[in-house]
């Protein structure tokens, strides 16, 4: 007799389906699902053309019975674009009312691209809507069905007036260009695909309820407190509200891994919840990994060491190119071997960040190897060689 899939089984099937169709986006996909499981919001930061919009659309296509809203903001955007136009018939009766059908006000899931283009006319209503799930209109306070808002931007906001909006995003994930050659080969032949796995709104609501039932153990609490102290020593602070939300995020991480309770391991997700500026990402990674996943810490340190070696590469026209590349390739190879062994020995759920580091090291080693081969080819073709 076939076992009926649980709600968690269906969530994991959606994650697997998304990872199949979106290359090198495991971290962002997990963050999107965790945002939905916790009713929190996710900000995707990255240059144009990194499939931020595609990722959000793919996630939403796999959640049936939900209303989806999407909008690209510009500095000329008006409140009508997000909250609907004023009703002319209502104005004739001296009533101030918006037509909210098809807007963010009635959406379960929203996506606002270039969200930090929001101006003061938009900001207050948007803050109340995403934080309190309320929309103020004509003296009335209306509840909204919003589960999560996904935002995207090429950079963090510089205007202080946007600080409150930025803080509303519990999860923040950077989305770079594809780094692996194999991913690029797949991309060149990749075709749009219909969702192979889906959830219903009821499934998602059930999963949210199950997340709340995951116990936050003393081990996880102490790990969170240790991370807090470690970040304070580095001059990085977070609000009490953010720390409170982090506890639910840790529960959701444990749930997504099929665990019955939280542990210090699950606190590694806080890497994406505790930095405010991209320059802080490495520091937060180190502090969180020291407590939650030592493999991540080792991977970050090895990746940094490999990047330092890569940055020492000589110029292509250097007369001693081959001899200078040889020790760099040897050291990069040693780092790759060490990291590969650590990845192979670790559980898959704990090794995602290390696998990402391994991919970067492979790419740098491959690039220097190709540079060395081109140099040798030129030597063989030179007169008198």
């Amino acid at each position: 007799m076939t076992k009926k899939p649980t709600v968690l089984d269906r969530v994991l099937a959606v994650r697997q389906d998304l990872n199949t169709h979106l290359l090198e986006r495991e971290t962002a996909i997990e963050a999107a699902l965790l945002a939905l499981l916790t009713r929190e919001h996710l900000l995707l930061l990255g240059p144009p053309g990194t499939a931020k919009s595609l990722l959000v659309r793919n996630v939403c296509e796999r959640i049936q019975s939900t209303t989806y809203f999407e909008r690209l903001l510009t500095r000329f955007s008006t409140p009508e674009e997000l909250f609907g136009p004023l009703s002319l018939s209502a104005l004739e009766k001296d009533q101030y009312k918006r037509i909210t059908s098809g807007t963010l006000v009635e959406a379960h899931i929203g996506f606002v691209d270039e969200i930090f283009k929001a101006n003061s006319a938009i900001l207050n209503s948007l803050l109340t809507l995403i934080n309190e799930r309320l929309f103020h209109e004509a003296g009335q306070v209306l509840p909204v069905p919003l589960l999560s808002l996904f935002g995207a931007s090429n950079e963090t906001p510089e205007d202080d007036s946007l600080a409150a909006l930025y803080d509303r995003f519990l999860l923040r994930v950077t989305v770079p260009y594809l780094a692996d050659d194999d991913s690029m080969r797949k991309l060149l032949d990749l075709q749009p695909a219909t969702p192979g796995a889906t959830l219903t709104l009821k499934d998602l609501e059930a999963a949210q309820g199950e997340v709340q039932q995951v116990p936050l153990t003393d081990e996880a609490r102490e790990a969170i407190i240790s991370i807090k102290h470690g970040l304070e020593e580095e001059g990085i602070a977070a609000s009490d509200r953010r720390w409170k939300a982090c506890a639910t995020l840790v529960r959701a991480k444990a749930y997504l891994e099929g665990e019955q309770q939280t542990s210090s391991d699950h606190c590694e997700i806080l890497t994406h919840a505790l930095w405010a500026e991209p320059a802080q990402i490495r520091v937060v990674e180190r502090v969180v990994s020291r407590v939650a996943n030592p493999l991540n810490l080792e991977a970050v340190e090895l990746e940094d060491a490999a990047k330092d070696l890569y940055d020492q590469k000589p110029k292509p026209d250097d007369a001693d190119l081959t001899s200078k590349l040889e020790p760099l390739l040897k050291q990069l190879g040693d780092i790759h071997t060490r990291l590969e062994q650590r990845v192979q020995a670790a559980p898959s759920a704990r090794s995602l960040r290390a696998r990402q580091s391994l991919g970067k090291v492979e790419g740098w080693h491959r690039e220097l190897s190709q540079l060395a081969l081109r140099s040798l080819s030129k030597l063989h073709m030179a007169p008198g060689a």
Side-chain angles (χ1 to χ4, degrees):
M1 182 176 176
T2 304
K3 180 184 176 183
K4 183 179 179 181
T6 64
V7 172
L8 175 59
D9 289 335
R10 290 194 282 275
V11 173
L12 295 178
V14 166
R15 182 174 68 174
Q16 179 59 44
D17 190 34
L18 288 165
N19 282 325
T20 299
H21 295 105
L22 297 168
L23 305 171
E24 295 185 21
R25 294 295 175 258
E26 294 95 336
T27 299
I29 288 167
E30 180 175 83
L33 292 175
L34 288 171
L36 289 167
L37 289 171
T38 57
R39 292 174 57 87
E40 291 290 346
H41 311 296
L42 167 65
L43 177 65
L44 299 172
L45 284 170
T50 50
K52 298 185 293 293
S53 304
L54 180 65
L55 188 152
V56 176
R57 291 178 196 134
N58 269 260
V59 170
C60 295
E61 284 174 1
R62 285 161 175 79
I63 304 176
Q64 300 174 337
S65 311
T66 54
T67 303
Y68 173 65
F69 173 83
E70 178 179 328
R71 180 66 62 183
L72 169 67
L73 293 186
T74 71
R75 57 196 179 105
F76 303 110
S77 293
T78 63
E80 284 73 19
E81 294 181 37
L82 295 181
F83 313 122
L86 293 175
S87 169
L88 297 180
S89 60
L91 285 174
E92 290 175 353
K93 301 174 184 177
D94 294 327
Q95 297 176 351
Y96 186 91
K97 186 176 181 180
R98 292 188 182 276
I99 302 172
T100 58
S101 177
T103 70
L104 183 59
V105 178
E106 298 189 3
H108 294 98
I109 302 170
F111 173 54
V112 182
D113 201 358
E114 295 297 341
I115 192 166
F116 298 123
K117 296 288 197 302
N119 51 48
S120 57
I122 293 173
L123 202 54
N124 288 339
S125 293
L126 186 58
L127 283 171
T128 305
L129 189 143
I130 65 176
N131 191 49
E132 302 171 31
R133 270 53 172 210
L134 297 173
F135 181 65
H136 292 263
E137 181 182 55
Q140 292 184 314
V141 181
L142 308 174
V144 300
L146 186 70
L147 299 173
S148 297
L149 180 75
F150 298 104
S153 178
N154 299 332
E155 56 191 2
T156 55
E158 297 181 359
D159 190 336
D160 290 342
S161 66
L162 296 169
L165 176 59
Y166 182 58
D167 188 59
R168 293 303 188 271
F169 290 96
L170 176 63
L171 286 155
R172 299 162 182 160
V173 173
T174 57
V175 185
Y177 291 120
L178 296 181
D180 187 74
D181 285 353
D182 287 339
S183 296
M184 182 58 67
R185 293 185 186 97
K186 292 176 182 177
L187 177 67
L188 297 176
D189 295 321
L190 197 63
Q191 298 295 324
T194 55
T198 59
L199 293 168
T200 65
L201 179 57
K202 286 186 176 181
D203 288 334
L204 184 56
E205 290 172 343
Q208 291 169 347
E210 291 178 356
V211 165
Q212 293 299 326
Q213 299 304 312
V214 177
L216 187 68
T217 62
D218 289 341
E219 178 188 334
R221 286 192 186 90
E222 293 308 310
I224 293 173
I225 291 171
S226 294
I227 290 168
K228 180 176 183 291
H229 291 328
L231 291 178
E232 287 172 346
E233 291 174 3
E234 297 289 347
I236 299 174
S239 66
D240 291 343
R241 178 181 61 200
R242 182 165 289 268
W243 285 112
K244 172 69 172 174
C246 282
T248 303
L249 191 58
V250 171
R251 287 187 174 97
K253 174 67 172 174
Y255 174 78
L256 205 55
E257 292 188 4
E259 300 292 344
Q260 300 300 309
Q261 61 182 23
T262 57
S263 71
S264 59
D265 291 350
H266 303 124
C267 293
E268 68 174 312
I269 189 59
L270 301 187
T271 297
H272 306 296
L274 294 171
W275 57 268
E277 298 293 334
Q280 296 175 346
I281 293 176
R282 265 294 193 265
V283 176
V284 172
E285 265 194 321
R286 291 177 185 275
V287 171
V288 172
S289 297
R290 191 177 300 124
V291 174
N293 190 340
L295 174 58
N296 282 359
L297 179 60
E298 185 177 359
V300 169
E301 291 175 341
L302 289 173
E303 180 185 322
D304 287 346
K307 183 63 165 61
D308 288 341
L309 291 169
Y310 172 77
D311 289 341
Q312 295 173 35
K313 66 181 185 296
K315 294 181 179 180
D317 58 354
D318 192 305
D320 299 320
L321 180 62
T322 303
S323 60
K324 289 181 178 179
L325 283 173
E326 186 175 349
L328 297 180
L329 285 168
K330 172 67 168 59
Q331 293 176 76
L332 277 173
D334 291 342
I335 290 174
H336 180 275
T337 299
R338 179 178 171 184
L339 190 52
E340 187 175 43
Q341 290 172 343
R342 297 287 285 115
V343 167
Q344 290 174 349
S348 178
R350 302 268 75 82
S351 64
L352 173 58
R353 180 63 182 84
R355 282 184 274 123
Q356 292 172 340
S357 293
L358 184 62
K360 291 181 181 180
V361 175
E362 286 176 349
W364 294 326
H365 188 277
R366 182 168 54 247
E367 185 176 335
L368 295 192
S369 296
Q370 291 171 347
L371 187 60
L373 286 172
R374 287 195 294 269
S375 175
L376 288 172
S377 297
K378 288 180 181 179
L379 285 175
H380 287 303
M381 293 173 62

